[in-house]
Amino acid sequence: MYILYGNPGMANLAPHMALEAIGAPYRMVRIDPRAGEHQTPDYLRLNPTGRVPTLVDGDQPIFETVAILLHLADRHPDAGLLPPIGTMERGLAYQWLIHLTNSVQAAYVAYYYPERQVADPAHADSAKQAAEARLNDLFDVIEKALEGREWLSGDKPGVVDFMLLLMVRWGRNFAGRPPRTLPNLGAHAARTAALPAVARAFEQEGLAQPRY
Ligand SMILES: N[C@@H](CCC(=O)N[C@@H](CS)C(=O)NCC(=O)O)C(=O)O
């Protein structure tokens, strides 16, 4: 039995999609960072970074969204959520997962917590605008990579696509150009959101329209 700690719409949503696609028993535990629940001693024992998500596998907690996705895909190879090990497609799946967390997700942390980027809180709006501009550049690259492709890596959907949908969704309220408005990213998001496992994860987290 897995336990996934998180809060609706936060980074837990991608591992939640993976758990639904795998079909292994799991339960969700809500940890609301906006209520400070990610900083309690009990939660910090599971995840000393004080962030969501955390997956508990047996009695072992594991943090970092993409590490959780890789671990779940490895634990359940029959679910086919990553291309086979040792293939070029697998290498490209690593490339995109690491890019999505290391560059795209990191830029979102600046977008959603701009006050942490600046010494003077008066400059937080400017930091947020800079983060949105950076995200636009990053999404231009992914838009191009999706040209002529159904899925971002390999020929079937998997954890890379779950992570990308999460990243697209987080930009749904951009002041300028939400990523879903780019044709390839919009089509990819619609395709991924229509997968039954993904639709169930959204429904279980109670996520309202617009979904991405
Ligand atoms: N790289 C980490 C980032 C996790 C992260 O920043 N999670 C956000 C929610 S999506 C969070 O816990 N925010 C609370 C905070 O930063 O105080 C991961 O992917 O697990």
Side-chain angles (χ1 to χ4, degrees):
M1 163 75 89
Y2 294 110
I3 305 176
L4 180 63
Y5 291 79
N7 197 53
M10 291 192 168
N12 43 277
L13 181 58
H16 194 173
M17 297 176 205
L19 285 165
E20 277 297 319
I22 288 164
Y26 74 94
R27 67 185 172 90
M28 300 281 305
V29 174
R30 187 163 184 181
I31 291 291
D32 185 354
R34 292 180 189 116
E37 292 169 2
H38 61 323
Q39 298 295 337
T40 63
D42 280 353
Y43 187 69
L44 289 170
R45 261 192 290 279
L46 294 175
N47 183 341
T49 71
R51 300 286 183 269
V52 295
T54 306
L55 180 80
V56 177
D57 178 351
D59 55 9
Q60 178 62 55
I62 172 167
F63 60 83
E64 282 296 340
T65 309
V66 163
I68 294 169
L69 290 173
L70 289 165
H71 178 66
L72 286 172
D74 283 348
R75 272 266 203 247
H76 302 276
D78 292 350
L81 296 179
L82 276 175
I85 202 153
T87 60
M88 200 61 236
E89 287 75 21
R90 178 80 164 216
L92 293 174
Y94 291 149
Q95 167 196 283
W96 285 120
L97 281 171
I98 290 169
H99 181 68
L100 287 169
T101 190
N102 193 47
S103 298
V104 182
Q105 193 185 11
Y108 270 120
V109 171
Y111 175 82
Y112 280 110
Y113 304 99
E115 67 289 349
R116 295 182 188 168
Q117 313 301 313
V118 289
D120 180 349
H123 298 145
D125 277 354
S126 168
K128 192 179 181 85
Q129 282 169 31
E132 186 173 326
R134 166 88 178 125
L135 283 158
N136 284 335
D137 289 347
L138 291 165
F139 280 116
D140 282 340
V141 171
I142 304 173
E143 173 71 9
K144 230 181 235 172
L146 277 171
E147 191 63 44
R149 300 188 60 86
E150 255 191 308
W151 309 108
L152 186 53
S153 87
D155 57 6
K156 52 184 178 168
V159 291
V160 177
D161 305 288
F162 301 162
M163 190 65 189
L164 177 55
L165 176 60
L166 177 71
M167 295 297 99
V168 166
R169 181 172 192 276
W170 282 359
R172 67 197 180 285
N173 295 323
F174 275 2
R177 192 194 67 175
R180 67 166 181 278
T181 60
L182 297 176
N184 296 332
L185 277 162
H188 176 274
R191 205 176 284 131
T192 307
L195 297 167
V198 173
R200 286 196 298 275
F202 270 77
E203 200 182 300
Q204 288 165 19
E205 296 201 12
L207 301 176
Q209 302 286 349
R211 294 166 74 195
Y212 48 83

